[in-house]
Amino acid sequence: MNKFFKQIITVSVSFLFLIVFLVGCGQKDNKKKAEILEDAKDADIKTIIVTQDERENNSAFEAANKEKMDNEYKRFNNPKYKSYVEHYILPSDFQNNKKTDEIFDKIKKDKEAKVLIVSANKAGLADKVKKLKKDRKDILMISSDLNEDDKKIIKSFDLNFKTGDFSHGERIVDLAKSLGAERFVYFIDESDFKDKKKMELLEGMKNEGKKIGIPIEEVKIPESDNIYQAKAFVSDNIDALVKKYGEDINIYTFNKAFDEILASKVLDEKFFISEFSDKNISPSLMKVYGLKYVTRQARDYIWMNSQIGAFIKLSSDMERRIGATAYKPEFYTMKIATDVGELLKSKKISVKKAYNSVFLENTSNFRNKTGCGFINKYKGVGNYKIIDVDQILY
């Protein structure tokens, strides 16, 4: 396992949502919670998020839009909550477009702006932020998954958060073993063998399997242009595997087209799924299990996970046999940037406090009930964090 990974904390969703992280914690942990949460609801902080449009950078656009929607909901339901989120959208050719300069000029003149979060998959914004910083030293500048030269963003921004792109095959197998799986079986087809990232994932799985002593078994999916035939093959073979080995096997597929099959069959067959091919399975599981939600909840992973956990428990009396990532990583990078920015400004905390990974972990736990690791990308550089959202168990 990558030495920079922090130890994975796995907790069942029912435990995660019915028992607050602080139960059983001592006075020291309560003090930490107070430092992060106390009076935060009375804050009056304006956060501006700058992203590309939905077509050019869907993840960042949707993540920013979600933060804006969440903020509107909080202000509607709590008159004391005054903090405000505004979302600015860049032109398609933002690097050489005067409209980009107009956006930053507008931010410079906005005396209410206290936090600026910038996200883009193309370079060209770091210099504009650096220039803005000279005029508005009172604005906390944060980058979220910004595609720029690292040296530039470290100098231009107060804080930088980037979604971790880890090969985590080891963690998938390790979790399967810790849950009680005695065998790890994966389904794979010819197209998967041509995918470099999938092969890195598979190599990690095999290496970890040898290391911890869990047999790794491969099932090849026959080549076919008919996806329904492939799905039928996977479904039939799952039945055969459970019949052959019993329930204590973990099943994984490399193609998200088969996630629905795993999600539906596990309710009856009760095998293990330490992770789906789509790490951010929550929206898909909501559809598979027929769970309804309103628009605001469509990207609320914490709420969705609680609904999924309750459904699985009630419908199959099954717990701690299905694993997933707690939150869509790209969305969480934007969320933690927004939360940390508001927290630091509303409580007048020095930005250097956020260089401390433990402070960020506590912020994630106490504010969002979501475990997350924060890793310095470079030794001794505290303002550039790679984030790694923890796994959860349903």
Side-chain angles (χ1 to χ4, degrees), residues 250-293:
N250 190 96
I251 299 178
Y252 182 84
T253 71
F254 286 90
N255 190 330
K256 64 181 181 180
F258 306 122
D259 285 344
E260 182 178 336
I261 296 171
L262 294 184
S264 58
K265 294 191 77 70
V266 72
L267 298 180
D268 294 322
E269 301 288 9
K270 292 182 172 58
F271 48 88
F272 291 106
I273 306 172
S274 58
E275 190 168 281
F276 292 87
S277 64
D278 183 357
K279 291 191 294 183
N280 324 117
I281 194 67
S282 308
S284 298
L285 290 184
M286 292 289 287
K287 292 178 182 178
V288 171
Y289 297 145
L291 301 174
K292 306 298 182 183
Y293 53 83

Side-chain angles (χ1 to χ4, degrees), residues 9 54 118-119 175 282 367 370:
I9 302 170
E54 187 175 13
V118 177
S119 182
L175 178 57
S282 308
R367 283 198 159 214
T370 299

Side-chain angles (χ1 to χ4, degrees), residues 136-150:
R136 290 296 304 275
K137 294 184 177 9
D138 59 315
I139 297 180
L140 183 65
M141 313 286 185
I142 304 176
S143 79
S144 171
D145 281 333
L146 182 61
N147 184 12
E148 290 268 7
D149 176 74
D150 284 351

Side-chain angles (χ1 to χ4, degrees), residues 256-353:
K256 64 181 181 180
F258 306 122
D259 285 344
E260 182 178 336
I261 296 171
L262 294 184
S264 58
K265 294 191 77 70
V266 72
L267 298 180
D268 294 322
E269 301 288 9
K270 292 182 172 58
F271 48 88
F272 291 106
I273 306 172
S274 58
E275 190 168 281
F276 292 87
S277 64
D278 183 357
K279 291 191 294 183
N280 324 117
I281 194 67
S282 308
S284 298
L285 290 184
M286 292 289 287
K287 292 178 182 178
V288 171
Y289 297 145
L291 301 174
K292 306 298 182 183
Y293 53 83
V294 295
T295 303
R296 189 186 67 81
Q297 296 164 327
R299 291 293 184 266
D300 189 340
Y301 283 81
I302 298 170
W303 179 84
M304 285 191 287
N305 290 335
S306 69
Q307 300 302 300
I308 294 164
F311 173 82
I312 292 171
K313 171 64 178 174
L314 292 173
S315 63
S316 65
D317 194 30
M318 180 175 64
E319 286 185 291
R320 296 181 61 81
R321 297 187 79 86
I322 302 175
T325 301
Y327 214 103
K328 185 173 182 178
E330 298 87 355
F331 275 45
Y332 203 66
T333 301
M334 181 72 74
K335 182 169 190 57
I336 203 67
T338 307
D339 284 351
V340 170
E342 181 184 315
L343 171 62
L344 295 179
K345 276 298 183 179
S346 66
K347 295 182 70 63
K348 297 180 174 58
I349 298 173
S350 167
V351 67
K352 290 187 177 180
K353 184 78 172 181

